[in-house]
Amino acid sequence: MKEKNRPVLEIGSHLELKIEKMAHEGQGIGKVGEFTVFVEGAITGEKCIAKINKIKKDYAIAEAIQILEPSKERCSPPCKYISQCGGCDLQHLTYEGQLRFKTLKVSDSLRRIGHINAEVLDTIGMEQPWYYRNKSQYPVGLQNGKPIIGFYKKRSHDIVDLDNCMIQHPIANSIMLAAKEWIKEYNISVYDETKHEGLLRHVGARVGFNSKEVMVILTVNGRKIPFTDKLIEMLKGRILGFKSLILNVNTQKTNIIMGKENILLYGEPNIFEYLCDTKLQISPVSFFQVNSIQAEVLYSKVMEYANIGKDETVIDVYCGTGTITLLLAKRAKKAYGIEIVSQAVEDAKVNAAINNIENTEFIKGAAEKILPEMAKAGIRPDVIVTDPPRSGCEQKALEAIVEISPKRIVYVSCNPATLARDLRYLEDNGYITQKVQPIDMFPQTSHVECVTLMSKVEK
């Protein structure tokens, strides 16, 4: 029997659609009766011809192959790889349009998922929304027996061979080209993920926008790779600020990019960056906001919302390498950072030392375990800042935050859906959402960062 309300569609068929709105991942949404079609490359208000690529029970996925009535916010993507590479999904939308889309995305998530009606401010964008990424990880592979390096195609592990990416730092692109030349000239063994054979898996770069220091990382299916001396000479001659070459060991058959062991091949084991007048150490595996320019905007907004006083105490949950903790400590009586990753905690302690910030304490462990222990020890923070991964806060961590009962909560999120879910829990347990500030950390993509201020409801 034909399922109720489902039209007869076939893979590869074409249909004309009116785009009613945009989905959270940037696709246009059209309807065939009551059946939803997600259309890659289409914008709200447009009429287009869409080609059906995938059909599911409740929806279909298509791509726009002809725009019949273009939106005023449509533009020509400047990147020549846009039809192949899966990295940027909003280049066909003007930058002003991208910012509006992200504001609406946050508002919709809060209302629909969390039933939150707080003020959502306009997304803060960049003056120059290109070449902004300070961290790059280029997969390496083979195509017709020849080595290639670039980024993956949409929803696949097929590599698009690049000579430039318009959202990576120009130095990272230069490193990619040097690595490609090195691979070809010295016949470097390239990893085949289907066979789990070969050596070089990824070429990575970390670039200090302000310090101008550069780290290069080779992720290898083994513990050594030949002719690294030749690569070092190439990088020394071409890359201004080249400070470090690291061999990252990943011998697992996995999609996880980096392994746990790092071997120093040249220079220093870390580089440094400066953000908000703070010197920060970056290791090969450190979490660090990928957009240095917008990171300063983000951190300034966190400081504004925390509004910490010199006699107040603050706890930074999921503190990573301690950037936010240290900035808070400059204004607070005491700042604590909680982080479950050992290396991040060690990096945070180093960052505190090199900045001569003594009123901090970094604690390794899960927030849901550490927060109750701190409460029992009599530590009652005025403010809690939390910056969890995309999956949001653990339920028990949220319970512990409510139990410790700070006056204000500042929630930093890279996922509006899990933000909305967690705000709902906090609102149900004594807090009110005051305002939400989206910040465009990831121009040309559908991702958005938010800083949210919550206050305890006075009884």
Side-chain angles (χ1 to χ4, degrees):
M1 278 180 70
K2 186 170 71 172
E3 295 177 38
K4 185 179 179 181
N5 297 326
R6 177 172 170 175
V8 177
L9 297 175
E10 295 181 357
I11 301 294
S13 64
H14 295 181
L15 67 160
E16 183 178 307
L17 287 173
K18 180 73 173 181
I19 304 302
E20 299 177 0
K21 59 181 180 178
M22 290 174 69
H24 286 189
E25 293 184 357
Q27 309 99 323
I29 296 178
K31 295 278 190 178
V32 181
E34 297 179 16
F35 190 74
T36 299
V37 182
F38 294 94
V39 185
E40 302 275 4
I43 299 171
T44 301
E46 291 187 330
K47 184 181 288 185
C48 67
I49 302 295
K51 176 186 175 183
I52 301 295
N53 292 328
K54 189 177 293 185
I55 302 172
K56 298 289 188 178
K57 179 181 178 181
D58 299 317
Y59 65 91
I61 297 175
E63 60 178 311
I65 59 172
Q66 183 181 356
I67 305 299
L68 303 175
E69 295 178 5
S71 165
K72 292 180 179 178
E73 293 186 330
R74 174 168 290 278
C75 65
S76 297
C79 177
K80 64 183 179 181
Y81 302 106
I82 191 65
S83 63
Q84 307 169 59
C85 179
C88 298
D89 45 19
L90 291 184
Q91 277 197 32
H92 59 288
L93 188 59
T94 64
Y95 191 53
E96 294 76 12
Q98 292 182 33
L99 297 179
R100 278 190 286 273
F101 161 74
K102 294 181 182 188
T103 303
L104 289 170
K105 172 178 175 174
V106 173
S107 297
D108 180 68
S109 291
L110 295 184
R111 288 195 305 269
R112 183 172 50 83
I113 299 170
H115 307 290
I116 305 290
N117 294 312
E119 178 185 13
V120 177
L121 303 171
D122 291 341
T123 302
I124 300 174
M126 297 186 72
E127 186 176 342
Q128 296 294 334
W130 301 99
Y131 297 107
Y132 60 82
R133 286 187 63 95
N134 58 41
K135 177 183 177 181
S136 307
Q137 293 172 312
Y138 300 96
V140 182
L142 292 171
Q143 188 176 76
N144 300 322
K146 295 182 179 180
I148 57 173
I149 180 170
F151 289 118
Y152 294 125
K153 294 180 180 179
K154 290 181 181 179
R155 298 180 179 87
S156 83
H157 270 218
D158 297 332
I159 298 171
V160 179
D161 196 25
L162 303 180
D163 57 25
N164 180 60
C165 173
M166 295 185 67
I167 64 170
Q168 310 298 324
H169 193 291
I171 287 176
N173 284 321
S174 296
I175 290 167
M176 174 191 66
L177 293 176
K180 187 183 295 188
E181 184 178 324
W182 170 68
I183 293 165
K184 291 179 179 178
E185 185 170 346
Y186 296 98
N187 197 28
I188 302 300
S189 172
V190 171
Y191 183 68
D192 184 328
E193 68 175 10
T194 58
K195 299 178 181 178
H196 191 49
E197 296 175 350
L199 280 178
L200 186 60
R201 301 173 72 131
H202 281 79
V203 174
R206 306 201 74 160
V207 181
F209 264 63
N210 297 312
S211 70
K212 311 302 182 187
E213 295 186 356
V214 178
M215 172 185 289
V216 179
I217 306 158
L218 305 178
T219 301
V220 174
N221 179 37
R223 301 193 79 257
K224 60 182 180 179
I225 192 166
F227 300 108
T228 53
D229 57 329
K230 302 298 184 182
L231 178 61
I232 290 167
E233 289 305 310
M234 290 172 70
L235 295 172
K236 286 169 68 175
R238 300 182 190 186
I239 306 301
L240 189 66
F242 173 52
K243 297 288 184 182
S244 177
L245 179 64
I246 305 289
L247 185 74
N248 175 260
V249 178
N250 184 357
T251 57
Q252 302 299 309
K253 190 172 184 179
T254 175
N255 288 335
I256 297 172
I257 293 175
M258 296 187 71
K260 295 181 179 179
E261 182 182 4
N262 293 297
I263 301 170
L264 180 65
L265 299 180
Y266 168 80
E268 303 296 326
N270 307 290
I271 61 172
F272 293 93
E273 177 62 309
Y274 297 90
L275 287 180
C276 300
D277 298 320
T278 304
K279 185 178 182 180
L280 302 165
Q281 176 178 284
I282 301 174
S283 71
V285 295
S286 294
F287 170 78
F288 196 77
Q289 293 286 356
V290 300
N291 187 330
S292 298
I293 295 169
Q294 291 294 83
E296 293 200 330
V297 176
L298 174 75
Y299 296 147
S300 295
K301 190 59 63 174
V302 170
M303 296 305 109
E304 176 190 331
Y305 284 6
N307 193 27
I308 197 79
K310 62 181 180 180
D311 295 321
E312 292 187 311
T313 298
V314 60
I315 297 177
D316 182 11
V317 183
Y318 306 98
C319 72
T321 55
T323 308
I324 291 176
T325 320
L326 298 179
L327 295 174
L328 291 163
K330 293 179 180 182
R331 302 184 183 186
K333 178 181 179 181
K334 180 84 176 194
Y336 297 88
I338 301 173
E339 172 58 53
I340 200 167
V341 179
S342 300
Q343 183 60 54
V345 173
E346 293 307 310
D347 287 344
K349 291 177 179 178
V350 169
N351 285 333
I354 62 179
N355 287 282
N356 299 313
I357 298 175
E358 298 179 349
N359 61 331
T360 60
E361 184 176 337
F362 292 98
I363 305 167
K364 180 191 175 299
E368 56 268 27
K369 179 176 181 291
I370 301 300
L371 283 172
E373 292 176 355
M374 296 177 76
K376 287 179 183 178
I379 299 169
R380 292 286 177 177
D382 300 280
V383 180
I384 282 183
V385 175
T386 182
D387 185 1
R390 285 189 60 79
S391 55
C393 290
E394 294 287 342
Q395 175 71 22
K396 290 184 178 179
L398 289 172
E399 293 170 3
I401 289 172
V402 169
E403 181 65 24
I404 209 167
S405 191
K407 292 184 289 188
R408 296 181 299 283
I409 298 171
V410 180
Y411 192 132
V412 181
S413 170
C414 61
N415 185 344
T418 55
L419 171 66
R421 179 201 68 199
D422 292 351
L423 295 187
R424 179 70 271 151
Y425 177 87
L426 293 168
E427 285 214 352
D428 289 342
N429 287 274
Y431 287 85
I432 187 168
T433 306
Q434 300 284 355
K435 50 188 171 181
V436 182
Q437 176 63 74
I439 297 169
D440 191 19
M441 299 289 288
F442 316 99
Q444 317 310 325
T445 81
S446 58
H447 300 294
V448 62
E449 198 96 2
C450 292
V451 183
T452 299
L453 171 62
M454 304 192 81
S455 298
K456 190 169 180 60
V457 177
E458 295 184 8
K459 294 181 179 179

